[in-house]
Amino acid sequence: MEIVVRYEVSSSQKYGNVVRQVLHHASKNVPIPRDATVSVSFIGDAKMRVLNKKYRKKDRTTNVLSFPTHDSYVMIPNSSNDLGDIFISLPEAKREAKKYGWTMRFEIARLALHGFLHLLDYDHEEEKEAKVMEGIERKILKLYA
């Protein structure tokens, strides 16, 4: 799997390896095309707020947003295997890590994984879906605690 990491805020470069590690680990635990591509961008609160307002109609920053390339994730041979884009607000991640007493390594891994699973059509709107998604997250995040 190809993982493209973009750094739009200072001090985010040190988290690129964590993103690559957790997404490679996740790719071994959920079905994805072998030649899949995903983009992860570290951004600031201002840009995250704009994205959240435009696409979710919520005028505030958030920790992570995912934008899948396709409306629904289906593994189709010979189709585009660009899974989509994940945006992580580094300032919000720092606030949440402090609030919950987590390391930044764990928080970045958690957000990248959460966004990645959303690209694959995992969701947490209904209780049954949430249990499946949370189970995958717990299994993978044990390595980052």
Side-chain angles (χ1 to χ4, degrees):
M1 176 170 66
E2 181 182 2
I3 301 163
V4 178
V5 183
R6 294 181 177 90
Y7 309 100
E8 295 185 22
V9 291
S10 62
S11 77
S12 59
Q13 292 85 354
K14 59 186 164 189
Y15 301 112
N17 286 337
V18 174
V19 167
R20 288 182 185 88
Q21 289 170 356
V22 74
L23 296 187
H24 277 296
H25 188 75
S27 72
K28 294 176 180 154
N29 286 272
V30 294
I32 64 164
R34 186 177 308 161
D35 58 345
T37 301
V38 65
S39 167
V40 179
S41 296
F42 287 98
I43 61 175
D45 282 337
K47 184 169 182 178
M48 183 63 88
R49 183 177 182 169
V50 168
L51 291 172
N52 203 22
K53 184 176 182 181
K54 181 175 181 178
Y55 294 103
R56 296 181 65 225
K57 309 297 185 238
K58 296 183 180 188
D59 189 13
R60 63 180 185 269
T61 193
T62 190
N63 54 12
V64 63
L65 288 175
S66 299
F67 298 96
T69 301
H70 306 286
D71 289 337
S72 180
Y73 174 72
V74 182
M75 252 193 325
I76 303 171
N78 302 319
S79 69
S80 168
N81 291 321
D82 177 6
L83 300 178
D85 302 298
I86 301 167
F87 293 88
I88 297 173
S89 167
L90 190 63
E92 184 65 15
K94 286 178 181 179
R95 288 189 292 271
E96 287 187 357
K98 183 177 180 179
K99 177 180 176 181
Y100 296 113
W102 295 333
T103 65
M104 274 300 289
R105 182 176 187 267
F106 178 82
E107 180 65 4
I108 295 301
R110 185 182 78 82
L111 295 175
L113 176 60
H114 191 84
F116 181 69
L117 292 176
H118 276 308
L119 293 181
L120 300 176
D121 267 352
Y122 288 90
D123 209 342
H124 45 82
E125 294 299 316
E126 295 180 18
E127 188 175 340
K128 186 177 178 181
E129 293 175 333
K131 285 183 181 182
V132 171
M133 187 172 180
E134 290 166 6
I136 296 167
E137 288 176 334
R138 269 193 306 280
K139 178 182 177 182
I140 294 169
L141 290 175
K142 282 184 206 177
L143 302 171
Y144 299 88

